Amino acid sequence: MAEAPAQVVEELFRRIDDGRWGELAGLYAEDAFVAHPLRGTHVDGRTALGERFLRLGTFRMRVSDVVVHETTDPEVVVAEYRSRGPGFSAANVQVVRVRDGLITHSSDYHDHLRMAAARGDFTGLAVSYESSGGTHEPLVAAPLGSPRDVVWRLLDGISATIPGTRADLYADDAVVTHPFHPTAPPLTGKDELRQHFARGGGEGLRPRHVVFHDGADPELVVVEFEYAGRVGSGNPVVARNVFVTRVRDGLIVESRDYADHVAFAAATGRLPDLLAAARSVVTAD
């Protein structure tokens, strides 16, 4: 009997943690497709994946704090974890489809910024963020107050006339973290969130390519999406993101927003500041 998706993903992380790079490709289907949305790249097929893994040689990367979320799609799981290597400790989230015991598709969101800072080389970090215009995609019908409905209203509200009102979607004691930002502190409580949103900056953006993964846990929803449009002085941007959000009684109580900070910084002229922040958290390991 084929292993369940959660078991396959946990085995993937065990092999990574042990440095068994040569054994990773065996967990993927022959025609597997692995996307890296934050880099705009992908790897197609088990053979190419195997070659990529083997190039890592004796590199060691430890995996910890693994949480695998099952979804209402029996083939799909979402894994959050931390990876630690020379000079970095980074957050990661992967949306993985497993069929017949093998990974057929994976969208891998990694903290490329911290990894680049540890290498001391940011070359190629900022991929092309030119927008092709983007479209506003309507919400597939969801019950009012459901996790999917609440998160859609959050995404759709980025261009709200009064952006601070987005805080009304959160509980009074909500906690929001940004794992891919090197120095951003957690936002705790509705008041802090209101101040955060009131700064604006999303007036020219719309959500597009929105994909929801409803958790087997009825409070949990995971959403992959892009913000596309123009920011700052009119610079085009496409920012790819994934949010892991818990909604209770129609309000967000917790969210880990894995956002594309590099894209926003590059489009608004703040990339040097973001790179400096990333350098500041490089460890001595």
Side-chain angles (χ1 to χ4, degrees), residues 16 24 42 72 88 101 105 241 268 280:
I16 293 173
L24 294 190
H42 67 271
T72 53
F88 74 90
H105 188 281
N241 317 272
T268 57
S280 74

Side-chain angles (χ1 to χ4, degrees), residues 4-226:
Q7 294 174 309
V8 173
V9 172
E10 288 163 356
E11 177 61 21
L12 174 71
F13 295 150
R14 276 193 291 270
R15 295 184 188 186
I16 293 173
D17 196 57
D18 293 340
R20 292 184 281 156
W21 303 111
E23 299 178 26
L24 294 190
L27 295 173
Y28 291 82
E30 186 175 349
D31 59 349
F33 184 90
V34 176
H36 304 102
L38 297 181
R39 298 301 300 270
T41 62
H42 67 271
V43 183
D44 197 351
R46 179 193 291 160
T47 300
L49 283 163
E51 293 171 352
R52 185 184 181 95
F53 291 138
L54 285 174
R55 286 200 295 270
L56 292 169
T58 59
F59 177 77
R60 290 302 301 272
M61 184 172 69
R62 307 312 299 260
V63 176
S64 64
D65 303 326
V66 177
V67 178
V68 179
H69 305 285
E70 295 184 338
T71 74
T72 53
D73 183 332
E75 292 186 340
V76 175
V77 294
V78 179
E80 297 179 90
Y81 64 99
R82 293 201 68 82
S83 56
R84 185 180 182 124
F88 74 90
S89 175
N92 310 267
V93 58
Q94 295 181 208
V95 181
V96 184
R97 180 173 294 278
V98 177
R99 186 172 297 148
D100 298 328
L102 294 173
I103 298 170
T104 61
H105 188 281
S106 185
S107 292
D108 298 358
Y109 297 82
H110 302 301
D111 191 344
H112 301 287
L113 178 61
R114 283 181 186 257
M115 297 176 190
R119 294 194 306 269
D121 180 10
F122 293 110
T123 303
L125 181 66
V127 299
S128 173
Y129 296 110
E130 287 287 329
S131 171
S132 59
T135 57
H136 178 56
E137 300 177 12
L139 172 67
V140 175
L144 185 66
S146 67
R148 183 185 286 228
D149 168 66
V150 172
V151 172
W152 173 261
R153 284 189 279 141
L154 174 69
L155 304 186
D156 195 42
I158 190 171
S159 58
T161 305
I162 307 175
T165 59
R166 296 171 77 197
D168 294 331
L169 297 170
Y170 292 82
D172 289 340
D173 58 352
V175 177
V176 178
T177 56
H178 297 89
F180 285 166
H181 194 289
T183 56
L187 295 169
T188 304
K190 185 177 291 187
D191 289 342
E192 283 192 15
L193 286 158
R194 194 178 303 282
Q195 294 172 19
H196 172 74
F197 291 130
R199 299 188 188 105
E203 295 80 3
L205 299 176
R206 300 299 289 168
R208 70 175 192 179
H209 304 320
V210 181
V211 179
F212 281 101
H213 306 281
D214 298 310
D217 179 339
E219 293 185 338
L220 190 74
V221 67
V222 178
V223 59
E224 300 177 85
F225 67 100
E226 295 177 353

